[in-house]
Amino acid sequence: MDVCTNGSQLDYDRVKELQAFDATKAGVKGLVDLGTKAIPRIFIRPPEELVQELSTPCVKLEVPVINFEGIDRSKDRYNEVVEQVLDASENWGFFQVVNHGISSEVLDKMLQGIRSFFEQDDEVKKNFYSRDMTKQVKYMSNYDLYNSRAANWRDTLAVDTYKIDYLDPNELPEICRDAMLDYFNQVLKLSDVLLELLSMGLGLEPNYLKETECTKGWASINHYYPACPAPKLTLGTCKHTDPAFLTILLQDQIGGLQVLHKNQWVDVQPIPGALVINIGDILQIISNDKLKSVNHRVTANQVGPRISSAFFLKGISSSSKLYGPIKELLSEKKNPAIYREFTLDAFYAHFFSRPLDDAGFEYLKIQNHGDGM
Ligand code: OGA
Ligand code: NI
């Protein structure tokens, strides 16, 4: 029997099958296009996970939906929204925003652009296929393919300015270039609004979080989730928290994104024109656990493709800054630092050395926290 238990245990059959899949450069979409009816075993979740799934309930709750309308005109509205954003970030780590100022036209064009990238001529698409970490623009299936216990049912087009904070528009795939440039431009403006609201919520100066330089480097991670013939056996994206300050997610109307809230999976229902916002690991750390970076995942689906675009505020690699709990939020007795300081390079190096569902940031916890002096 070919049983692969974890990434650190070499299983040559599995590695060979992963390599064969990787070498096609056609991704999961390539398998579906071939008419694959049974999903290859590299995608099948470990048996203990499939069993555990049966005992994790899904409940009908709704992630908070926040209306940004009028926050630039009325002080009362602004303060109200600061409270809503803070409350959602503390209790859910997730919320949806409507009337955020980005037009539906820009959003739809972005989703359509991503879809056309994946559905264009295979030979053009394959030129972008790469696992080179230094490449700013690349397409691949499962960035953690060789580390993961089970591959996920999705392909990804990544644009990442963390290492080189200048983006040459000509590097973007022509088929979605204009759509991406319009979207990036708008989503960066919305990022500033969100960071200001979060700074205010934390009781900091309005520009505090922006000054962490978290918007200087970002990644646009664009997913294509093909229809899956066996959605119960695999996942679109396995359970994880986001290695970033903040994520702004654009999803189409198919659904499948779920948030782990009080140990239950809650669907993030698609709302036309809305964006999903979630707190990333770094905001949880620097807020000393006040804001929550919450586990989420995407189920595989019999229907598809599903398209989504995650915009991560990452900060920049060239920064020598040390990040850690914000001093203004700490007090020696009531709220001592829970995490030690780290550089972004060390943080992302750790993340990329792990499988997505086993990365996290526990390792940054100060060991003897709570043990007294
Ligand atoms: C991610 C993510 C969710 C989605 O890229 O980190 O959680 O809906 N994506 O694709
Ligand atoms: Ni995520």
Side-chain angles (χ1 to χ4, degrees), residues 65-336:
V65 180
I66 306 180
N67 186 352
F68 275 17
E69 196 177 352
I71 57 170
D72 50 347
R73 290 190 294 276
S74 140
K75 197 154 187 301
D76 285 349
R77 265 304 286 147
Y78 185 88
N79 291 335
E80 202 180 325
V81 169
V82 166
E83 282 312 310
Q84 290 172 357
V85 165
L86 181 69
D87 186 71
S89 304
E90 288 182 309
N91 296 311
W92 283 85
F94 264 81
F95 55 94
Q96 301 211 57
V97 180
V98 293
N99 297 312
H100 41 63
I102 307 183
S103 72
S104 293
E105 198 192 332
V106 168
L107 303 182
D108 291 346
K109 236 180 77 193
M110 178 68 173
L111 290 171
Q112 191 48 52
I114 297 162
R115 180 165 183 166
S116 34
F117 171 81
F118 286 99
E119 295 180 354
Q120 73 185 313
D121 189 273
D122 259 353
E123 293 313 308
V124 180
K125 193 169 80 169
K126 279 179 188 171
N127 291 327
F128 287 90
Y129 198 87
S130 172
R131 296 190 179 277
D132 180 350
M133 292 295 289
T134 64
K135 257 190 145 67
Q136 215 176 19
V137 180
K138 58 180 176 283
Y139 138 68
M140 95 295 299
S141 186
N142 287 259
Y143 80 89
D144 64 344
L145 186 68
Y146 295 101
N147 266 341
S148 64
R149 292 190 299 167
N152 289 166
W153 201 256
R154 76 168 187 293
D155 302 327
T156 302
L157 168 64
V159 180
D160 193 335
T161 70
Y162 170 69
K163 285 218 158 81
I164 314 157
D165 58 354
Y166 167 74
L167 174 68
D168 178 357
N170 293 317
E171 296 289 315
L172 296 171
E174 197 181 345
I175 201 159
C176 53
R177 186 177 300 153
D178 290 348
M180 284 188 148
L181 290 172
D182 284 349
Y183 182 69
F184 296 161
N185 192 2
Q186 297 286 313
V187 85
L188 279 164
K189 285 187 199 151
L190 178 61
S191 302
D192 287 349
V193 174
L194 289 162
L195 291 171
E196 186 180 295
L197 292 165
L198 285 163
S199 298
M200 297 298 277
L202 290 171
L204 300 163
E205 291 297 319
N207 55 353
Y208 192 99
L209 290 175
K210 170 95 176 173
E211 284 177 359
T212 61
E213 300 184 338
C214 63
T215 57
K216 281 200 176 170
W218 45 263
S220 168
I221 306 295
N222 305 287
H223 304 297
Y224 185 93
Y225 298 91
C228 180
K232 288 211 161 26
L233 294 182
T234 187
L235 284 168
T237 299
C238 59
K239 175 174 132 176
H240 68 283
T241 60
D242 287 353
F245 287 78
L246 190 70
T247 306
I248 300 173
L249 180 94
L250 165 63
Q251 62 168 337
D252 68 13
Q253 300 302 301
I254 299 258
L257 174 63
Q258 297 183 322
V259 176
L260 194 61
H261 179 71
K262 300 185 172 154
N263 265 321
Q264 297 169 321
W265 288 112
V266 176
D267 291 323
V268 181
Q269 293 290 352
I271 300 174
L275 289 164
V276 180
I277 314 297
N278 67 287
I279 301 297
D281 298 348
I282 303 176
L283 269 189
Q284 172 159 348
I285 296 169
I286 70 176
S287 71
N288 211 36
D289 276 357
K290 191 166 172 67
L291 312 180
K292 302 295 190 312
S293 179
V294 170
N295 272 304
H296 53 286
R297 68 178 187 181
V298 180
T299 56
N301 201 326
Q302 203 100 44
V303 293
R306 171 179 183 268
I307 315 289
S308 70
S309 174
F311 192 84
F312 295 111
L313 301 183
K314 289 182 74 170
I316 39 168
S317 167
S318 55
S319 162
S320 51
K321 268 185 199 276
L322 278 177
Y323 289 89
I326 295 168
K327 303 278 187 297
E328 286 85 336
L329 302 179
L330 302 177
S331 78
E332 210 177 310
K333 288 235 157 56
K334 287 211 188 97
N335 189 19

